[in-house]
Amino acid sequence: MSKKVFHLFFILCTAILFNQKALAQNNPAGIFDGQDDIGKVKQAGSGTYDSKSQDYHLSGSGANIWARHDEFHYVWKKMKGDFILRTNAAFIGKGVEEHRKIGWMVRTSLDTDSKHVSAVVHGAGLTSLQYRKATGDTTKEKKFEMTSADIIQLERKGNTYTMSVARKGDLFVSQEVSDIDIGDDVYVGLFICAHNANVTEKAVFNNTRIVVPAPKDLVAYRQYLGSDIEILDLETQNSKIIYQSPKSLQAPNWMKDGKHLLYNSEGLLYTFDLKTTSPTVLNTGSATHNNNDHVISFDGKWLAISSSDKTGSSMGWALPITGGEPRRLTPIGPSYMHGWSPDGKYIVFCGARNKEFDVYRIPSAGGPEERLTTAPGLEDGPEYSPDGKYIYFNSVRSGLMQVWRMKADGSEQTQLTNDDYDNWFPHVSPDGKWIEYITFNKNEVAPGDHPFYKHVYLRVMPVDGGPSKVIAYLYGGQGTINTPSWSPDSKHLAFVSNTSLLFPTFPISK
C-alpha cells in the first residue's frame, strides 16, 4: 500500500471512529435528548433504548461521583420547572467496586464540577441522596436506612428535592434537601459510574418516567394533564406505555376478547385496538356526557355506563357492547355504575340519596334499586367477585378509605385493608385470586376524595385479604383504575398515568 493510499485510509478510519463516537455521545435515547461521558473517563460509555421492552441499558466507567468533580456516563434531557423522575434500576453482573453507582441526576451543566442533586444506589446497596450546592464544592449526602433500592424516584419542587426509594413491592421511604439552587434550566437523566477508571459497568433501567406534574393553579375537573395508557405485566411488574394523548383519557376496561380496551375521554367512550394501538369512538347514542364509571358484563355482551342527563346528574344506562342507543337504568342520581353480577341479572353502583353515598344494586332488565350499605360516610366502587358470592367495595366508615367486602345480599360486611393510607376501587382478577386497588397518601387527600394528579400506588392482595404488595408506582389518581382493568387471563393490568409532558417516543393521539 502506497503512503498516499495509507494516509487516505487512515483519515477515513479516523473519520468513521470520530463519527461513531459523536453518534454514541449525541444520539438521543428514548425519552432523553442526548448522552455524554462526564469528566475525563478512560473507557467510553454508552446508553441504548429498546423500543420493544422500553428498557434503557447503560454502560459506563469513571473514577467516582464525589468530592469536587465527577466521572460517569450520563443519558440526559434538558428540563425546566418542577418534575418527577422515576425508574426501576439494577446493575448487570457482579461488578468490581462496591461503590459503583446508578440512579437519577439533576445537573446545572455537563462540566465535571457542576452543581447537582443525585438519587444514588451503590453496588453494595448503600442508598443516598447526594448533592453539590456550588460549582466545585465538595459533595454531601443523606443516607437511607434502607439499602439496595430497586425503585428510585427524584422529585423537584422549586429548590426542594425529594428522593423516594423502595424495594420492589414495598411502599416508598423518603429523604429531602431544600434550598438547593442549581438553576431552573437543568439537565436531568440516568447515570452510571464504575467507581474505577479502568472498569466499565453495566445497568438496566425499566419503568423509566419523566413526569411534569400539575401546576399549583390547575383548576380541578376543568383543566387536565396528558395521559399515558400503560400495560403492566404482573409477573415482572414492568409496564409499557402503549398510547399517549395530550387529553384526559380515563378508566381503561379490558374487553373480553383480550384484544381491546375501553376508556372514556371528553364525554365519549372509545374502544382501543391493542394490536394497531388505535382508538375508535363507540356509539353511545344520546349519552354523550359519559364519565369514568363504565363496566362490561361478565359475558362480554353488555355495557353499563354512567352519563349525565339533562339535569347534569350522572345516571346509569345499559347498551350492547357493540354500541347503540342506551337504556336508562336509574331513575335518580347521581348514580355511578361499577359492576355486573356474573349471571348478568344485577348491576351494582354507587348512588347518592339524601346526600349520603351508598352501594346499591338494580336489576339489569329494569326495576327498583336496593340499598346494600347504610353506614355513615362514603361507600363506593362496588364490584362482584367472579363466583358471584361477594361484592367488594371501598368505605370510609372506619376513618380512612379502606377495602371491604360483603355477601351478594349485603350481609357480613367485612373490612379487608386496615392501614394508614386511603385505598380505593378494589378489582377482582378474573381467576378470582387477587384484588387490585389504588392507594392514596392520607397527607395528600381527604379520606372521601380520590382526585387527579397525585402520587399513588397500585397494590394487590389475596382475594380474601392479607398482605398487600405494590405493583406500580405512578402519578395519577382519578381515572387511573376506576373500572375493572384486568386482562382476561389475569396476567396483565391496564391503567392510566398522567403528565403534562408527552414524548414522541410513543404513539400520540391526534
Side-chain angles (χ1 to χ4, degrees):
M1 181 184 293
S2 68
K3 290 184 178 180
K4 184 176 181 181
V5 172
F6 178 81
H7 181 67
L8 290 173
F9 179 74
F10 177 80
I11 292 174
L12 178 62
C13 290
T14 302
I16 291 172
L17 290 172
F18 177 81
N19 288 334
Q20 286 178 338
K21 182 177 181 181
L23 181 64
Q25 296 296 298
N26 299 308
N27 183 43
I31 59 177
F32 298 99
D33 296 335
Q35 55 179 303
D36 287 277
D37 284 320
I38 307 301
K40 296 180 179 180
V41 300
K42 292 183 179 181
Q43 312 289 334
S46 67
T48 60
Y49 173 67
D50 186 329
S51 59
K52 184 176 180 180
S53 64
Q54 297 183 5
D55 292 340
Y56 295 84
H57 288 260
L58 269 63
S59 66
S61 183
N64 204 354
I65 301 172
W66 195 247
R68 299 181 184 276
H69 69 278
D70 310 316
E71 296 177 11
F72 63 97
H73 190 72
Y74 193 37
V75 181
W76 52 263
K77 182 175 183 64
K78 290 300 293 290
M79 298 283 292
K80 292 183 179 182
D82 295 342
F83 47 75
I84 303 164
L85 316 173
R86 188 187 317 107
T87 193
N88 291 25
F91 287 103
I92 298 174
K94 185 178 180 180
V96 175
E97 302 289 344
E98 67 175 12
H99 286 294
R100 57 183 176 154
K101 301 175 176 121
I102 52 176
W104 284 107
M105 183 180 293
V106 182
R107 293 181 76 85
T108 304
S109 75
L110 299 179
D111 297 333
T112 186
D113 60 352
S114 171
K115 294 185 285 186
H116 74 86
V117 178
S118 302
V120 182
V121 175
H122 296 235
L126 174 65
T127 302
S128 63
L129 176 57
Q130 300 179 358
Y131 54 96
R132 181 182 293 127
K133 299 184 72 171
T135 301
D137 198 1
T138 56
T139 301
K140 298 178 176 61
E141 71 177 338
K142 286 189 172 183
K143 296 180 180 180
F144 285 78
E145 291 185 9
M146 191 207 77
T147 60
S148 302
D150 300 306
I151 296 89
I152 310 170
Q153 179 174 285
L154 183 60
E155 179 175 12
R156 176 166 89 168
K157 288 185 178 180
N159 288 336
T160 297
Y161 291 81
T162 303
M163 178 180 174
S164 300
V165 292
R167 294 190 185 126
K168 187 179 288 187
D170 293 342
L171 301 167
F172 275 138
V173 293
S174 300
Q175 292 271 19
E176 180 181 290
V177 290
S178 57
D179 299 324
I180 304 290
D181 185 5
I182 64 175
D184 183 53
D185 190 359
V186 293
Y187 293 83
V188 307
L190 300 171
F191 73 86
I192 185 168
C193 174
H195 198 74
N196 186 323
N198 299 313
V199 170
T200 295
E201 296 284 1
K202 297 181 179 180
V204 60
F205 302 80
N206 49 54
N207 296 327
T208 301
R209 305 288 183 263
I210 297 177
V211 175
V212 176
K216 293 180 180 179
D217 59 353
L218 181 137
V219 181
Y221 298 92
R222 289 190 179 183
Q223 296 174 309
Y224 298 92
L225 301 188
S227 306
D228 294 337
I229 296 180
E230 303 196 37
I231 299 295
L232 175 72
D233 184 314
L234 268 296
E235 182 178 359
T236 65
Q237 294 181 34
N238 291 337
S239 64
K240 295 198 299 183
I241 296 174
I242 62 167
Y243 193 66
Q244 291 189 305
S245 173
K247 300 177 182 180
S248 179
L249 313 184
Q250 301 175 29
N253 297 111
W254 210 303
M255 300 182 76
K256 301 302 177 181
D257 63 5
K259 300 177 180 179
H260 296 82
L261 303 177
L262 177 80
Y263 66 83
N264 65 286
S265 180
E266 298 183 334
L268 300 179
L269 293 179
Y270 293 81
T271 58
F272 181 83
D273 190 311
L274 289 167
K275 184 177 181 179
T276 64
T277 63
S278 58
T280 303
V281 175
L282 178 69
N283 175 25
T284 55
S286 58
T288 56
H289 296 87
N290 300 294
N291 58 51
N292 57 28
D293 294 313
H294 38 79
V295 62
I296 301 168
S297 61
F298 275 82
D299 64 9
K301 296 180 179 180
W302 293 92
L303 178 63
I305 63 175
S306 307
S307 186
S308 300
D309 65 2
K310 294 180 180 180
T311 68
S313 184
S314 178
M315 301 293 177
W317 312 76
L319 68 154
I321 193 66
T322 53
E325 184 62 30
R327 172 174 50 84
R328 185 162 173 166
L329 294 169
T330 55
I332 57 175
S335 301
Y336 303 96
M337 304 295 104
H338 280 278
W340 289 78
S341 61
D343 60 11
K345 293 182 179 180
Y346 290 96
I347 298 171
V348 284
F349 65 96
C350 170
R353 310 293 184 257
N354 299 316
K355 298 182 180 181
E356 189 73 31
F357 283 90
D358 280 294
V359 173
Y360 291 80
R361 72 176 180 182
I362 194 168
S364 60
E369 63 186 31
E370 179 184 359
R371 186 179 181 183
L372 298 181
T373 63
T374 59
L378 176 63
E379 328 271 17
D380 201 353
E383 182 178 312
Y384 281 91
S385 59
D387 59 13
K389 293 181 179 180
Y390 295 101
I391 295 171
Y392 291 80
F393 63 103
N394 50 274
S395 172
V396 77
R397 68 181 73 178
S398 61
L400 295 175
M401 188 63 75
Q402 299 294 330
V403 174
W404 289 66
R405 82 173 180 186
M406 57 186 165
K407 287 190 172 180
D409 62 2
S411 63
E412 297 186 18
Q413 297 182 15
T414 305
Q415 186 172 343
L416 296 183
T417 62
N418 186 18
D419 57 24
D420 208 28
Y421 293 84
D422 288 302
N423 303 312
W424 286 77
F425 300 132
H427 302 307
V428 186
S429 59
D431 62 11
K433 296 179 179 180
W434 299 96
I435 304 168
E436 170 209 18
Y437 61 96
I438 186 169
T439 294
F440 292 80
N441 190 318
K442 71 173 185 178
N443 297 322
E444 291 189 356
V445 302
D449 196 11
H450 53 104
F452 287 101
Y453 315 140
K454 298 294 180 182
H455 289 288
V456 294
Y457 304 104
L458 299 186
R459 296 201 278 175
V460 295
M461 68 177 177
V463 72
D464 293 322
S468 295
K469 67 176 181 179
V470 180
I471 54 172
Y473 307 76
L474 63 137
Y475 187 73
Q478 176 72 279
T480 291
I481 59 158
N482 293 55
T483 61
S485 58
W486 288 89
S487 62
D489 62 6
S490 300
K491 294 181 179 180
H492 297 83
L493 286 164
F495 65 90
V496 170
S497 59
N498 300 110
T499 177
S500 62
L501 179 65
L502 296 172
F503 302 103
T505 306
F506 311 107
I508 297 177
S509 72
K510 304 298 183 183

